[in-house]
Amino acid sequence: MPLFVVRFHHPDAEGWQQQLMPHIAFLQDLLKQGVLKASGPLPGGRDKAALLLIEAPDRAALDAIIARDPFAVHGLIADMVVEEWDPIFGVFNALSSMPGQMQG
């Protein structure tokens, strides 16, 4: 199943703070489902920003997942960039098009 890298910004700091705990609960649910592989903030920018690694059957399914995020529901996501990623090397190799290959 494809793995997607999702990057977005939160220019509304007050809205971000109000929706942070619902967003965390949303991410925890995705983790339990096995959909979210990793997530975290991108420190150092002028706006809050985050990166998520999400496994989904296709882009439409990914968009449906993101649409349920409280940050999306409340219009707090800006400049979202989505790329499909094939992690052939490293710790995510099992999710790649070449699982068990290209190791070391």
Side-chain angles (χ1 to χ4, degrees):
M1 189 174 326
L3 188 63
F4 293 91
V5 177
V6 180
R7 182 175 196 255
F8 50 70
H9 295 264
H10 308 287
D12 179 350
E14 184 178 330
W16 175 87
Q17 185 63 44
Q18 291 171 353
Q19 294 304 317
L20 179 59
M21 294 314 294
H23 170 72
I24 290 171
F26 169 76
L27 293 178
Q28 289 172 331
D29 187 51
L30 291 180
L31 281 168
K32 288 177 191 171
Q33 294 173 37
V35 172
L36 180 65
K37 302 305 178 186
S39 178
L42 297 169
R46 66 176 168 80
D47 294 335
K48 300 284 186 184
L51 184 85
L52 298 90
L53 296 178
I54 297 176
E55 193 173 34
D58 54 37
R59 177 62 193 261
L62 172 74
D63 289 343
I65 292 166
I66 296 297
R68 295 190 321 263
D69 185 327
F71 285 155
V73 170
H74 293 278
L76 299 171
I77 293 176
D79 303 323
M80 186 169 78
V81 175
V82 176
E83 297 283 343
E84 187 172 339
W85 182 43
D86 190 4
I88 292 172
F89 298 96
V91 298
F92 293 105
N93 170 263
L95 302 173
S96 79
S97 64
M98 300 176 72
Q101 300 176 42
M102 307 302 283
Q103 296 291 316

